[in-house]
């Protein structure tokens, strides 16, 4: 039996489309679900403009917008550590829970959301290796020579936790 | 009547095999996303770790202090549900467990899993909990029914259409949000390509200075917004469907190639849109592929 996938396709008869008709209750639930999802999408785009605030829609899939990088922070930090060979490596490697296939972006996002996470990474790393490690934070100003760090901070990770060594501009 | 046509749109059958491909990609994306969190509980859901509260405040307060054995059993159940969903075993039960498990562990600590793609996953999982058709093809359930000489499972109808709806709604409103933030007239795309190595750009993208050229970033800004706002309607007309599909997939391939993003994001959006294809579209694609192969052979 021939089938058509798009309902707005006018090249064939709608009678050839196989479908599973919903009852009245099913259609009501469907309409409610569609309306909620549309409301959630509008909540993050137009609600603030029109009524001045976002609505609290409670359902987890309606609580956030749909764009991750709509605004790039003008100050960004990259966190690394210095390994035994003196090479700088991403601190993501020191965590067991790495974002698979996007580890660096994951850890840098986490450190923006929770800066104290770096102290935890240090404590756990020191517990594993029992030797001091140098952590390096490069801060970049994207509006001011983004090709090089604006500020570099070195931290020592040892039995006392993280402590600042020096900052260089 | 118009509302009847709208409902008939969502009640129409979609290809069960394409849905199976989406099901596998979706659950694989969830496994890659949640796997490390569910395995390394002592680093993510324990009282002495740095945590972020983003969803259920109650679960955030209570879960970390729960007995370790209970947490481990919950994590194993969630992992099992994700695998069951992937192979199409009892899809509605596995969706229920997967939804409860992923939501709970994300509430315990949002840090390792927070991404906007998760909102779309949590819109799709409830639909998988309720609607039939997820295991109609290429699934353990379908295989078991064939072995028992039972009638095949029904193909996805409302299920597949709601998945498509969610993905295209999110895609379109991503463009709308960008407009609200001043795209494509601002320089956010330019700022993205100025971010330092090791932040979110892939190394090879960071090493291409021409990606920072104002003309290139402006063009990418305009293209991004234009594609996001026009692809969804274009996918629903046969004349523009395949072209819109190519543009859509090219955009997602470009995003993944340039930026480090969660695999869940690509798995859902890049694979889910294939549900829009019907038999005629597939025949056209096969025809295109054959013509391309002949052209390559002639050129070679």
């Amino acid at each position: 039996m021939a089938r058509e996938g798009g309902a707005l396709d006018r090249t064939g008869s709608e009678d050839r489309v196989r479908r599973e008709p919903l009852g009245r209750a099913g259609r009501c639930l469907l309409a409610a679900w569609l309306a909620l999802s549309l409301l959630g999408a509008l909540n993050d785009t137009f609600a603030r403009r029109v009524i001045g605030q976002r609505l609290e829609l409670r359902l987890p899939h309606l609580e956030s917008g749909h764009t991750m990088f709509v605004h790039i922070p003008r100050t960004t930090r990259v966190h690394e550590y210095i390994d035994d060979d003196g090479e700088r490596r991403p601190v993501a490697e020191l965590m067991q829970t790495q974002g698979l296939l996007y580890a660096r972006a994951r850890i840098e996002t986490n450190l923006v959301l929770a800066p104290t996470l770096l102290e935890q990474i240090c404590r756990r790393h020191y517990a594993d290796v029992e030797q001091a490690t140098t952590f390096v934070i490069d801060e970049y100003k994207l509006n001011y020579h983004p090709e090089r760090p604006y500020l570099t901070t070195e931290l020592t990770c040892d039995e006392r936790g993280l402590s600042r060594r020096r900052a260089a501009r | 009547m118009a509302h009847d046509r709208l409902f008939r749109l969502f009640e129409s059958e979609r290809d069960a095999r394409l849905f199976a491909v989406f099901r596998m990609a979706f659950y694989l994306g969830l496994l890659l996303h949640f796997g490390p969190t569910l395995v390394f509980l002592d680093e993510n859901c324990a009282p002495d770790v740095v945590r972020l509260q983003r969803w259920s405040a109650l679960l955030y307060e209570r879960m970390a202090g729960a007995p370790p054995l209970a947490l481990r059993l919950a994590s194993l159940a969630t992992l099992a549900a994700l695998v069951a969903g992937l192979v199409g075993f009892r899809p509605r039960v596995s969706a229920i467990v997967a939804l409860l498990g992923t939501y709970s562990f994300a509430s315990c600590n949002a840090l390792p899993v927070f991404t906007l793609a998760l909102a779309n996953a949590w819109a799709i999982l409830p639909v998988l909990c309720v609607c039939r058709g997820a295991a109609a093809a290429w699934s353990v359930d379908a295989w078991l029914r064939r072995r028992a000489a039972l009638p095949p499972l029904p193909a996805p109808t409302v299920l597949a259409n709601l998945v498509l709806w969610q993905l295209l709604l999110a895609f379109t409103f991503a463009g709308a949000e960008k407009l609200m933030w001043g795209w494509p007239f601002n320089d956010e795309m330019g700022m993205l390509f100025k971010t330092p190595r090791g932040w979110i750009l892939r190394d090879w993208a960071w090493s291409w200075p021409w990606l920072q050229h104002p003309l290139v970033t402006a063009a990418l800004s305009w293209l991004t917004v234009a594609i996001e706002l026009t692809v969804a309607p274009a996918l629903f007309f046969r004349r523009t469907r395949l072209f819109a599909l190519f543009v859509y997939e090219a955009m997602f391939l470009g995003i993944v190639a340039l930026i480090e993003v969660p695999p869940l994001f690509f798995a859902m959006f890049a694979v889910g849109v294939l549900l829009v294809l019907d038999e005629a579209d597939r025949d056209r694609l096969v025809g295109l592929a054959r013509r391309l192969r002949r052209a390559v052979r002639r050129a070679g």
Side-chain angles (χ1 to χ4, degrees):
Chain A
M1 183 188 295
R3 284 187 288 125
E4 296 168 8
L8 296 182
D9 179 7
R10 296 192 177 93
T11 59
S13 165
E14 285 192 358
D15 292 338
R16 285 190 283 136
V17 177
R18 277 201 292 263
R19 58 173 60 86
E20 186 182 354
L22 295 170
R24 183 173 289 195
R27 285 190 169 187
C28 286
L29 284 172
L30 175 63
W33 183 260
L34 295 176
L36 269 177
S37 56
L38 200 54
L39 190 60
L42 290 168
N43 198 22
D44 237 80
T45 46
F46 300 104
R48 274 202 194 93
R49 293 271 175 115
V50 173
I51 63 173
Q53 62 178 17
R54 287 183 83 248
L55 302 171
E56 289 297 324
L57 295 176
R58 299 291 181 187
L59 293 176
H61 68 289
L62 303 177
E63 286 183 356
S64 57
H66 295 293
T67 313
M68 200 73 180
F69 301 117
V70 70
H71 173 74
I72 305 295
R74 298 310 192 243
T75 300
T76 57
R77 293 182 183 85
V78 177
H79 300 76
E80 295 173 314
Y81 75 101
I82 299 176
D83 67 9
D84 295 338
D85 298 325
E87 300 289 326
R88 289 172 64 159
R89 311 284 308 166
V91 293
E93 293 178 359
L94 301 180
M95 293 197 68
Q96 289 178 310
T97 315
Q98 297 189 25
L100 293 175
L101 306 179
Y102 74 117
R104 292 184 318 186
R106 180 81 259 163
I107 195 65
E108 296 300 342
T109 302
N110 289 356
L111 288 166
V112 169
L113 295 170
T116 53
L117 181 63
L118 195 64
E119 179 75 43
Q120 175 182 306
I121 295 172
C122 161
R123 278 191 280 107
R124 286 177 176 243
H125 175 64
Y126 186 81
D128 286 340
V129 302
E130 292 184 347
Q131 67 181 46
T133 306
T134 302
F135 282 37
V136 182
I137 305 175
D138 285 323
E139 182 176 308
Y140 294 80
K141 301 279 186 196
L142 299 190
N143 283 330
Y144 180 78
H145 289 289
E147 71 281 3
R148 60 175 190 261
Y150 176 80
L151 181 70
T152 296
T153 307
E154 288 187 4
L155 304 166
T156 301
C157 172
D158 54 22
E159 66 275 6
R160 291 168 296 178
L162 275 176
S163 54
R164 186 175 288 241
R165 283 180 66 178
R166 65 173 187 270
R169 290 187 68 167
Chain B
M1 292 172 69
H3 72 273
D4 198 51
R5 285 200 74 182
L6 177 67
F7 286 119
R8 284 154 77 84
L9 173 65
F10 282 90
E11 292 162 355
S12 303
E13 189 180 288
R14 298 268 173 201
D15 191 301
R17 288 167 300 175
L18 284 177
F19 193 86
V21 173
F22 167 75
R23 187 197 73 231
M24 289 186 266
F26 176 66
Y27 277 107
L28 181 62
L30 281 173
L31 264 172
L32 290 173
H33 198 69
F34 276 90
T37 304
L38 295 170
V39 170
F40 301 111
L41 291 176
D42 62 330
E43 199 176 64
N44 297 296
C45 193
D48 60 339
V49 302
V50 174
R51 297 185 293 134
L52 179 73
Q53 194 257 306
R54 180 72 178 82
W55 290 286
S56 167
L58 181 67
L59 288 171
Y60 174 81
E61 285 164 21
R62 299 279 176 88
M63 265 188 82
L69 179 62
L71 279 179
R72 180 55 66 192
L73 287 174
S75 76
L76 288 173
T78 307
L79 283 167
L82 294 175
V83 172
L86 192 153
V87 302
F89 179 67
R90 298 294 184 265
R92 282 191 277 185
V93 173
S94 56
I96 291 170
V97 177
L99 177 61
L100 292 174
T102 54
Y103 183 75
S104 299
F105 283 99
S107 295
C108 181
N109 185 6
L111 272 180
V113 294
F114 176 60
T115 176
L116 294 182
L118 208 50
N120 293 290
W122 285 339
I124 290 171
L125 279 170
V127 177
L128 282 164
C129 293
V130 171
C131 299
R132 300 186 303 172
W138 296 346
S139 69
V140 168
D141 277 9
W143 177 74
L144 288 171
R145 285 183 78 87
R146 274 200 303 277
R147 273 189 52 154
L150 290 170
L153 291 163
T157 54
V158 174
L159 171 61
N161 288 301
L162 279 177
V163 167
L164 253 183
W165 161 263
Q166 178 61 39
L167 298 176
L168 294 178
L169 183 78
F171 186 69
T172 305
F173 273 86
E177 282 176 35
K178 289 186 176 73
L179 281 181
M180 296 286 118
W181 276 89
W183 289 54
F185 303 102
N186 59 22
D187 193 32
E188 292 305 323
M189 188 68 82
M191 287 296 140
L192 174 66
F193 288 111
K194 286 179 183 170
T195 54
R197 182 168 181 264
W199 204 64
I200 53 171
L201 282 180
R202 300 212 186 263
D203 285 350
W204 73 268
W206 174 85
S207 65
W208 282 17
W210 61 267
L211 277 174
Q212 295 183 23
H213 194 284
L215 278 177
V216 173
T217 56
L220 289 174
S221 273
W222 280 89
L223 262 177
T224 299
V225 175
I227 291 171
E228 286 176 342
L229 293 177
T230 59
V231 153
L235 282 171
F236 281 90
F237 293 93
R238 190 177 298 287
R239 281 196 178 182
T240 50
R241 186 174 300 154
L242 288 188
F243 177 73
L245 183 66
F246 285 134
V247 168
Y248 178 100
E249 297 290 6
M251 179 171 165
F252 276 92
L253 284 171
I255 292 171
V256 168
L258 294 172
I259 307 170
E260 288 194 5
V261 289
L264 175 64
F265 165 78
F266 183 79
M268 270 198 307
F269 282 94
V271 180
V273 77
L274 300 177
L275 292 170
V276 79
L277 298 174
D278 63 9
E279 202 172 325
D281 297 319
R282 288 197 307 279
D283 290 342
R284 283 173 67 200
L285 273 174
V286 168
L288 270 170
R290 284 194 183 131
R291 282 203 293 277
L292 192 64
R293 200 166 57 188
R294 275 201 294 270
V296 166
R297 276 203 196 127
R298 263 188 252 123

